[in-house]
Amino acid sequence: MPNSAGRSAPRALHLTHRVIRLLIGLFFFGFAAAMMLRAQVGVDPWTVLAEGLMLTTGVGIGWWVVILGLVVLLLWIPLRQRPGLGTVLNALLVGPFMEVGLLYIDTPETLLQRWLVFATGVMMLAIASGLYIGAGFGPGPRDGLMTGANARFGWPIWAVRSSIEVTVLLIGWALGGNFGLGTIVFAFSIGPLVHRTIPALRVPAYRGKDTGR
């Protein structure tokens, strides 16, 4: 009969695989956000807000991404949502990873090159979302805010998401954040893309047996 260490090894390997996928996904998520920002054709609403706050306060945009993520997590409390490991790491790591990307990515000279960088960033973000959500450690802070409002009050998810993101976008734009055609392209493209990447990259549940048989 296999000993307990031998039986638990496959489970530990499976968990390690999920954690690695989570961290890789978060890194590429931050890097993709940096690519879209450098493209200067428009970014997602939350990055518009973070950029506006950066321009207003002088604090780096990556740190504002962290601060906003933690503020959103606090809003989970009245919604009775419980964050997972992926939720917390998303709030803490995407901003610093974005700052790393900004160190190595420059804004291209031509409009065509900027759109190519933007499109690559959107695709990378969709793949990154599939990796970190598919790892099964919980949704990002903003996703949980919307599903939590739906579960707590019965509000439609689309209505909650649209209301929050329009509000965030308008505040960020008023502060000087980069709203552009790319923001609209992102809004219409990211949903269909992650609809494909999340199922495709989801880590299957552990199917091993610990009975020793």
Side-chain angles (χ1 to χ4, degrees):
M1 179 181 294
N3 58 36
S4 59
R7 293 197 302 268
S8 62
R11 183 184 294 275
L13 186 61
H14 183 263
L15 178 61
T16 301
H17 176 222
R18 290 172 56 206
V19 171
I20 291 172
R21 292 273 289 258
L22 169 66
L23 294 175
I24 291 174
L26 292 176
F27 175 80
F28 282 116
F29 194 100
F31 206 87
M35 292 180 70
M36 291 188 292
L37 184 63
R38 288 296 195 216
Q40 294 187 1
V41 294
V43 290
D44 67 278
W46 286 95
T47 305
V48 173
L49 177 59
E51 185 180 19
L53 290 167
M54 176 195 70
L55 295 172
T56 304
T57 65
V59 177
I61 190 170
W63 298 113
W64 274 114
V65 170
V66 173
I67 293 168
L68 290 171
L70 294 176
V71 169
V72 171
L73 273 183
L74 290 176
L75 297 176
W76 281 37
I77 297 174
L79 297 177
R80 300 175 184 173
Q81 291 284 94
R82 293 184 178 180
L85 175 64
T87 310
V88 176
L89 291 183
N90 180 297
L92 295 176
L93 296 181
V94 167
F97 287 155
M98 184 178 179
E99 290 283 0
V100 171
L102 291 172
L103 291 175
Y104 293 97
I105 303 169
D106 294 321
T107 299
E109 294 182 0
T110 69
L111 182 60
L112 176 60
Q113 290 172 332
R114 283 156 50 198
W115 273 107
L116 287 173
V117 170
F118 177 83
T120 304
V122 173
M123 290 296 300
M124 182 183 293
L125 190 140
I127 294 170
S129 298
L131 285 170
Y132 96 79
I133 295 175
F137 287 108
R142 297 158 189 82
D143 297 324
L145 178 63
M146 293 157 204
T147 57
N150 170 260
R152 186 82 170 85
F153 305 112
W155 299 339
I157 288 179
W158 69 265
V160 177
R161 185 182 186 96
S162 298
S163 299
I164 292 174
E165 299 216 352
V166 167
T167 301
V168 164
L169 175 60
L170 290 176
I171 295 172
W173 190 20
L175 293 174
N178 182 22
F179 170 73
L181 180 58
T183 306
I184 300 172
V185 172
F186 178 89
F188 281 98
S189 63
I190 194 62
L193 288 171
V194 298
H195 181 73
R196 293 180 176 274
T197 60
I198 292 175
L201 297 172
R202 181 175 291 120
V203 178
Y206 179 72
R207 302 289 185 183
K209 298 180 179 180
D210 293 331
T211 60
R213 295 180 182 178

